[in-house]
Amino acid sequence: PPTPPPPESVTNYVETRKRYPETLTTQERQVLDEFKRRLRAEGLHTESTDHELCRWLRARSFDVDKAMTMVQNDAKWRAEYNVDDVYATFAFSNPSAIKHAYPQTYHKTDRTGRPVNIDLVGRLDLKALLKVATEDEMEKGKVWEMEHTLRVKYAACSKRAGRVINQSFVILDLDGFSMRKWNGRTQAMLKRLIGVLSDHYPETMGTLFIINAPAVFAAVWKVAKGLLDPGTAKKITILGQNYKEELFQHIDPDDLPAFLGGNDATFDPLIEQGPWVDKETIDAACVARRTCRWSSHARAQGAWGASAASVGAAQTLPQSESCQTCTGHRCPGACQTSPAPRAETTVTSHLYARMAKQSHQCE
């Protein structure tokens, strides 16, 4: 169903946090201008907005030299890792088994319009998980998830909110957690994934609530906290079982799954719900960003439960006749498009992709 209009808490939100474009001091604005000048000189992030650039600066305490090093390292990693190809082609062989072993998904938005990522890590069965996916595949899955979040989720949430959204609200549910699960292999995989997030997707976590934390979690947190950037650690709230009152301050109970104390009985870890799955919102967001990039989105979404038939249909158009969904980046050369009739198709119940049958060529 279409995503309902945003509540006043979303549309009337006023940014008050420090070091965001809306709240920069004169000195911080000068730092941002210098950062942009140096990026342009190296041909990096030439089309990124101030909100995107401030993410990198905040990650390095508004130190231009350190932020430049971070961006340069990221550009090198993206080329070596071939991130665009991962986003375009990666698919888990058995996504439902992965979701069963490690349930997690994005479910609606918080009171400020940010997508809510619900991670049921307490139910993680690492042994079962690694039977259906390698650690390399799990890393690629995380890269795909973050690329989709940056390219599609944030664009759709921004369109709905009428302002820039480029962070997520994360709920980490530890119900079912035990020290038996916190072994060396779990810690190694966690360290690997956190490294990818902190080095290449900085400041995308706006708030993290860790709920149903058992007493033994104190020892786990002591180790995990050391893996996090200090700025990230400050965004984390750890609660036991009495979390609902505080969580409701951030998420409307009607948008929170019933098993977390909310009123929403539609939660399913195999599907996503939110503005990014509403075809009208995605279409408007794509037009606003002047992007039309459906094919990689459609193929990759098949990794998380899209039917083989629908994804296969999305792949039948020759590349010369197709675009890739909402990457927010231009093609590696000149993209030439000529107006032509467009056909729309629903790729999955939780994915909308506009298939632009245009004369399209990327050089």
Side-chain angles (χ1 to χ4, degrees):
T3 303
E8 290 187 359
S9 61
V10 173
T11 56
N12 294 341
Y13 176 81
V14 177
E15 185 61 77
T16 59
R17 294 172 295 175
K18 294 181 179 180
R19 292 184 166 177
Y20 287 73
E22 299 89 343
T23 61
L24 293 180
T25 65
T26 300
Q27 183 178 0
E28 289 167 346
R29 176 63 63 179
Q30 291 172 349
V31 171
L32 175 59
D33 290 341
E34 173 63 11
F35 188 42
K36 286 196 275 190
R37 184 191 67 78
R38 292 177 59 175
L39 286 170
R40 284 196 299 267
E42 297 192 22
L44 298 171
H45 285 266
T46 56
E47 296 181 11
S48 292
T49 65
D50 287 357
H51 285 85
E52 293 302 302
L53 298 181
C54 280
R55 285 199 300 106
W56 296 91
L57 284 170
R58 287 197 305 272
R60 291 299 178 263
S61 302
F62 262 63
D63 185 310
V64 175
D65 290 336
K66 292 180 179 179
M68 281 299 301
T69 298
M70 188 181 194
V71 169
Q72 290 163 348
N73 290 339
D74 175 69
K76 181 180 178 181
W77 171 80
R78 294 182 73 86
E80 294 176 347
Y81 203 87
N82 205 347
V83 171
D84 286 338
D85 185 64
V86 169
Y87 184 62
T89 64
F90 176 74
F92 289 112
S93 60
N94 193 342
S96 60
I98 291 173
K99 290 285 190 176
H100 181 75
Y102 186 10
Q104 56 177 319
T105 194
Y106 285 80
H107 188 79
K108 302 187 177 180
T109 61
D110 71 357
R111 292 187 185 275
T112 66
R114 298 176 297 186
V116 176
N117 179 12
I118 299 178
D119 190 326
L120 308 182
V121 69
R123 304 183 192 179
L124 169 64
D125 185 342
L126 186 61
K127 186 176 181 180
L129 182 64
L130 293 177
K131 286 182 179 179
V132 291
T134 66
E135 293 181 13
D136 286 345
E137 287 174 328
M138 292 305 299
E139 181 181 270
K140 287 185 177 180
K142 179 58 68 175
V143 168
W144 183 88
E145 173 193 324
M146 292 309 301
E147 289 297 310
H148 180 266
T149 299
L150 288 173
R151 305 178 187 210
V152 180
K153 290 185 179 71
Y154 290 159
C157 288
S158 296
K159 183 62 181 179
R160 178 174 181 258
R163 59 184 176 80
V164 174
I165 301 289
N166 66 352
Q167 291 182 321
S168 303
F169 188 105
V170 182
I171 299 174
L172 206 63
D173 184 7
L174 296 183
D175 186 32
F177 176 84
S178 68
M179 288 302 293
R180 179 178 56 84
K181 297 180 178 180
W182 187 245
N183 53 41
R185 196 165 189 183
T186 302
Q187 293 181 42
M189 189 168 76
L190 175 65
K191 183 177 181 179
R192 183 174 180 177
L193 296 181
I194 288 177
V196 169
L197 295 175
S198 62
D199 292 344
H200 307 294
Y201 304 97
E203 287 288 309
T204 51
M205 186 191 75
T207 303
L208 169 60
F209 266 42
I210 299 177
I211 63 173
N212 289 316
V216 296
F217 183 71
V220 175
W221 177 240
K222 186 176 181 180
V223 175
K225 189 175 182 180
L227 303 175
L228 300 174
D229 175 86
T232 299
K234 290 180 181 179
K235 301 176 185 178
I236 299 174
T237 300
I238 302 177
L239 301 169
Q241 296 181 346
N242 298 319
Y243 59 83
K244 287 191 290 185
E245 182 177 350
E246 190 162 355
L247 191 57
F248 288 169
Q249 294 179 24
H250 297 270
I251 302 175
D252 190 310
D254 289 340
D255 293 331
L256 196 67
F259 74 93
L260 293 179
N263 304 322
D264 188 351
T266 66
F267 177 82
D268 184 337
L270 284 177
I271 67 172
E272 296 184 358
Q273 296 185 49
W276 55 94
V277 302
D278 178 69
K279 71 174 186 175
E280 299 299 333
T281 304
I282 288 182
D283 186 55
C286 286
V287 170
R289 293 174 62 143
R290 297 186 180 183
T291 53
C292 175
R293 297 174 173 246
W294 71 271
S295 63
S296 65
H297 179 65
R299 284 196 298 268
Q301 187 70 11
W304 294 111
S307 69
S310 60
V311 174
Q315 296 184 62
T316 58
L317 288 180
Q319 183 63 32
S320 60
E321 295 181 358
S322 66
C323 301
Q324 296 175 334
T325 278
C326 289
T327 65
H329 301 286
R330 291 180 179 173
C331 296
C335 288
Q336 305 295 331
T337 60
S338 59
R342 292 186 175 188
E344 295 182 1
T345 182
T346 299
V347 175
T348 67
S349 61
H350 61 287
L351 166 66
Y352 169 74
R354 184 164 194 125
M355 296 198 295
K357 282 194 172 183
Q358 299 176 319
S359 171
H360 181 96
Q361 183 177 4
C362 294
E363 300 175 342

